[in-house]
Amino acid sequence: MTTDAGTRITAEQVRLLLSDPKIFPDLEGDDTELVLDSLGLVWFLHLLELRHGIALDPDDEHVTGVTSVTRITEGLANHG
């Protein structure tokens, strides 16, 4: 997935979004298994669109269920 600037979103950028105090303030490694609750998911998607111009549906398979920074980054790279 590319941002509005035409560059791919990186694991570091995904990690920064997920490290938001409203989501996972104590996020450990990129392969740490995460489960986003509905409020955390909506906030992550809001930040993703606001900061990187990437709009995803809350039902998108890349951000639902058990996931990690690595899996989200790979999913965004393979999405659209």
Side-chain angles (χ1 to χ4, degrees), residues 27-75:
L27 185 63
E28 295 190 17
D30 288 356
D31 293 319
T32 300
E33 295 292 321
L34 310 169
V35 177
L36 286 162
D37 63 18
S38 58
L39 185 57
L41 175 60
V42 169
W43 189 247
F44 171 73
L45 295 176
H46 168 73
L47 293 176
L48 185 65
E49 184 170 10
L50 182 69
R51 296 183 186 170
H52 299 284
I54 300 171
L56 292 178
D57 188 90
D59 294 327
D60 191 290
E61 65 185 8
H62 303 301
V63 292
T64 57
V66 178
T67 192
S68 66
V69 170
T70 301
R71 287 188 198 151
I72 292 172
T73 305
E74 289 171 353

Side-chain angles (χ1 to χ4, degrees), residues 1-22:
M1 173 61 74
T2 58
T3 64
D4 51 1
T7 58
R8 288 176 82 120
I9 190 165
T10 66
E12 181 177 347
Q13 292 168 317
V14 170
R15 188 179 330 102
L16 286 172
L17 295 176
L18 289 171
S19 295
D20 185 273
K22 294 180 182 179

